[in-house]
Amino acid sequence: MNVPKNNLYLAMQGAMILTLAGLVTKILSAAYRVPYQNIVGDIGFYIYQQVYPFYGMSVILATSGFPVIISKVIVDLGHNTSKATQSKILTVSFWFLAGLGFFMFLPLFLFALQIAQFMGDVHLAPLIKVTSFSFLLIPFLSTYRGVFQAQQDMKPTAISQVIEQGVRVSFILVSSFLMIKAGFTLYETGVGAFFSSILGSVAALLFFFFYSNNKHEQVRHSPQDKVRLKTLLIIRKICKYSFTIGICSLLLILIQLIDSLHLYALLTDMGIDEETAKRTKGIYDRGQPLIQLGTVVATSFALSIVPVLSTAKADNHTDFITKKIHLSIKLCLVIASGATIGLIAIMKPTNIMLFTDSSGSFLLMILIGSIFFTSLCLTLFAILQGLDFTVFPAITVLVGTLIKLLVNNYLVPIYGIYGAASSTTFAYFVVALSNYVYLAHKGYVFKEYKALYKIVGSNSLMVCSILLYLVFMKQYGLAFDERMGAAITALAAVVLGGFVYGIMILKLKVFSREELVNIPIINKVMK
């Protein structure tokens, strides 16, 4: 396949830089919630998680949503054109996002109390107000990142993401610890946490400002000379990509948002007292960092394989596309299934290790099933977008969100919090299945059935080894009810399970040698 080497190299190099930066930031984003929960407890964690989807939406749009959209609009409309044309695209994009950011900021700020009342907890209003300001930063961060990504210079975006997350996490943990020590309420501590989050975004913006000045590439948002490109065309492109790429990037946040808006209210409507409902929702929210961490690990390798699909499709290299798709899906299935089943097997000691007690371990087992389906969703989104099938994945995200809402309303009154966990996993399952069926309909059927049997066999042996190990530990009185014992038990089980699983995947030759060479990092190890 003769994809131009320079384009291929730049695309793969850029994808790897963003993948590594994304891996670091998402690990930070997931991991800090564990010490945060330890500092504020389950009720404090409930307070934070209730409002987090609003903030998370702004961060995702400014990190992986709108920057990609702007870079695609520049490539589509401004490739091989004058600087005046490219400048107009940036100017229109900036003001469009500024209007959109203000449109999202205003109702959150003005109607914070009404939103909090709808959520069933009026004390959340100050947190919602603070969070609303994050939407005002979207146009600035998105435009800077979009400019550099359009030039295939991924380093500034990657550095800004790490700075943003590093500052945010550090300030959240330090401020929360100090505020709890000083006697502030859990709600006031939550306000401090979201204020710290905004500081992270400001730090990223300052980095871009100084970086651009040093590079003499400062983004301008002033009117430029007249060009032939019509403003309406640029806006139409932005709107199209906002629906397709933007909506897909919000999959996890939209599902969380449904729970934030009405799960607590559903629990109190069942007759559960407010404090118990808050604690129950806080325990339920323990699953979110686990899902986020499991998903990013499972998709990081798979997503790094698909950046050249658009070029390959344009050049009609069908065999190359098929091989890349098969490898991406297979890699996702291997890592996602191993992470999901392995984590379910050691959920109780992991729960104690991370969150101090075993409350809700069975609940988290149900919720952790989402790791497999979310990983598959994100991989399929990337493949379909690479093949220029962008509308259908976005529609399935909206359908999945609606399914989550409807199933929540049906299951939660009957099964309580377990109904919410089941509805989350089911919604992700529907989205993943729909996108796979659509991909198969377009002629890209995953036919490596032998590999599926081998993956199932490898997982079975891994689970057996972990369960035998746990039985052995319990038989000889090495209980994991204490946190230190649970940590040793869980980490040892991870090493044992990962070793057995990895050996089986290699021994059963789930991947051919040619495929292993095409997997980033592994190919360097082989060399």
Side-chain angles (χ1 to χ4, degrees):
M1 127 110 215
N2 297 319
V3 176
K5 289 187 176 180
N6 287 340
N7 291 343
L8 174 60
Y9 175 76
L10 286 173
M12 290 300 292
Q13 185 186 51
M16 280 306 299
I17 290 172
L18 280 187
T19 297
L20 291 174
L23 189 60
V24 170
T25 56
K26 287 174 183 174
I27 287 174
L28 281 173
S29 179
Y32 84 90
R33 299 188 209 192
V34 174
Y36 182 78
Q37 185 272 349
N38 291 179
I39 293 170
V40 300
D42 286 324
I43 294 180
F45 197 47
Y46 144 82
I47 293 168
Y48 180 79
Q49 283 294 124
Q50 281 292 89
V51 181
Y52 176 79
F54 297 114
Y55 172 76
M57 193 179 299
S58 70
V59 169
I60 289 172
L61 290 176
T63 302
S64 57
F66 289 131
V68 175
I69 291 168
I70 291 174
S71 66
K72 282 186 73 67
V73 172
I74 291 174
V75 171
D76 288 355
L77 301 178
H79 185 62
N80 291 330
T81 60
S82 66
K83 287 189 176 181
T85 300
Q86 295 179 10
S87 182
K88 179 172 182 178
I89 293 171
L90 284 177
T91 303
V92 173
S93 299
F94 174 82
W95 288 113
F96 177 85
L97 294 184
L100 186 62
F102 185 75
F103 177 76
M104 299 172 85
F105 154 79
L106 203 58
L108 284 177
F109 184 80
L110 294 179
F111 302 109
L113 180 60
Q114 288 82 354
I115 294 170
Q117 287 173 336
F118 180 79
M119 296 166 74
D121 188 348
V122 294
H123 302 295
L124 295 173
L127 287 81
I128 296 172
K129 278 194 173 184
V130 171
T131 304
S132 67
F133 286 95
S134 63
F135 288 95
L136 297 178
L137 297 173
I138 286 178
F140 300 97
L141 290 170
S142 298
T143 306
Y144 273 119
R145 285 167 175 156
V147 169
F148 289 113
Q149 287 177 212
Q151 299 167 355
Q152 295 200 13
D153 183 4
M154 305 300 179
K155 288 181 182 178
T157 294
I159 294 170
S160 73
Q161 288 179 10
V162 174
I163 289 174
E164 181 175 7
Q165 203 63 260
V167 171
R168 173 176 170 252
V169 167
S170 302
F171 275 72
I172 285 176
L173 294 180
V174 171
S175 68
S176 300
F177 178 79
L178 293 177
M179 290 180 77
I180 290 294
K181 284 287 185 184
F184 286 90
T185 68
L186 291 175
Y187 287 94
E188 291 169 336
T189 303
V191 171
F194 283 109
F195 182 75
S196 299
S197 297
I198 305 266
L199 290 179
S201 300
V202 172
L205 190 57
L206 289 174
F207 160 76
F208 274 122
F209 178 75
F210 289 113
Y211 183 88
S212 297
N213 279 339
N214 290 336
K215 296 274 290 184
H216 304 290
E217 294 174 357
Q218 188 170 359
V219 180
R220 298 174 186 174
H221 308 301
S222 57
Q224 302 294 324
D225 297 332
K226 290 184 178 180
V227 292
R228 292 182 179 179
L229 190 60
K230 293 183 178 180
T231 301
L232 189 59
L233 178 61
I234 300 172
I235 293 175
R236 278 213 307 261
K237 278 280 185 182
I238 297 172
C239 288
K240 174 191 172 185
Y241 289 137
S242 296
F243 175 73
T244 55
I245 296 172
I247 293 294
C248 286
S249 67
L250 295 174
L251 172 64
L252 273 68
I253 287 294
L254 290 176
I255 298 295
Q256 286 184 52
L257 183 61
I258 296 299
D259 281 329
S260 291
L261 289 175
H262 79 156
L263 178 54
Y264 172 73
L266 286 175
L267 292 174
T268 54
D269 287 346
M270 293 174 61
I272 300 174
D273 66 88
E274 291 185 358
E275 185 171 343
T276 302
K278 290 175 182 178
R279 183 169 283 108
T280 301
K281 175 61 165 54
I283 292 170
Y284 173 84
D285 285 330
R286 293 181 184 185
Q288 296 305 332
L290 298 176
I291 292 172
Q292 189 175 347
L293 191 58
T295 300
V296 68
V297 170
T299 55
S300 291
F301 287 104
L303 296 183
S304 66
I305 294 170
V306 298
V308 292
L309 288 182
S310 296
T311 307
K313 187 181 180 184
D315 294 338
N316 202 27
H317 292 287
T318 308
D319 291 341
F320 176 85
I321 293 173
T322 302
K323 286 181 181 179
K324 289 293 182 184
I325 289 174
H326 280 201
L327 179 55
S328 296
I329 293 176
K330 193 193 300 184
L331 195 55
C332 176
L333 291 174
V334 167
I335 301 177
S337 63
T340 302
I341 296 172
L343 191 53
I344 289 173
I346 61 169
M347 180 47 65
K348 185 176 180 181
T350 301
N351 198 10
I352 297 171
M353 175 182 72
L354 297 178
F355 303 109
T356 72
D357 60 48
S358 62
S359 301
S361 292
F362 180 68
L363 168 69
L364 295 178
M365 289 181 188
I366 300 172
L367 202 53
I368 288 307
S370 301
I371 291 177
F372 179 79
F373 298 116
T374 53
S375 301
L376 198 53
C377 286
L378 296 177
T379 301
L380 291 170
F381 289 169
I383 292 171
L384 288 168
Q385 288 171 358
L387 296 172
D388 205 28
F389 303 127
T390 57
V391 176
F392 185 81
I395 293 173
T396 62
V397 171
L398 297 179
V399 171
T401 305
L402 179 61
I403 288 172
K404 165 65 179 173
L405 175 64
L406 296 176
V407 178
N408 246 23
N409 282 328
Y410 177 72
L411 290 183
V412 173
I414 301 173
Y415 301 106
I417 199 70
Y418 296 99
S422 301
S423 67
T424 294
T425 304
F426 180 69
Y428 288 133
F429 163 74
V430 171
V431 177
L433 180 63
S434 301
N435 280 276
Y436 175 73
V437 170
Y438 184 78
L439 183 66
H441 174 69
K442 292 298 179 181
Y444 301 101
V445 181
F446 186 76
K447 297 179 180 178
E448 298 189 39
Y449 303 114
K450 286 185 179 179
L452 295 178
Y453 299 139
K454 293 174 182 178
I455 293 170
V456 170
S458 300
N459 273 297
S460 300
L461 193 59
M462 174 187 68
V463 169
C464 288
S465 66
I466 291 174
L467 293 180
L468 286 173
Y469 162 73
L470 294 177
V471 169
F472 172 82
M473 293 288 283
K474 194 169 184 179
Q475 185 75 25
Y476 286 88
L478 301 172
F480 45 77
D481 293 329
E482 297 295 330
R483 195 171 191 184
M484 182 59 70
I488 294 171
T489 302
L491 294 174
V494 169
V495 173
L496 172 65
F499 177 77
V500 171
Y501 188 59
I503 290 296
M504 289 302 299
I505 292 294
L506 291 175
K507 286 289 184 183
L508 294 176
K509 295 182 179 179
V510 175
F511 300 103
S512 66
R513 186 173 182 82
E514 180 187 354
E515 288 175 328
L516 289 173
V517 169
N518 281 291
I519 299 174
I521 299 177
I522 292 179
N523 58 3
K524 287 183 170 56
V525 173
M526 290 182 67
K527 288 178 182 178

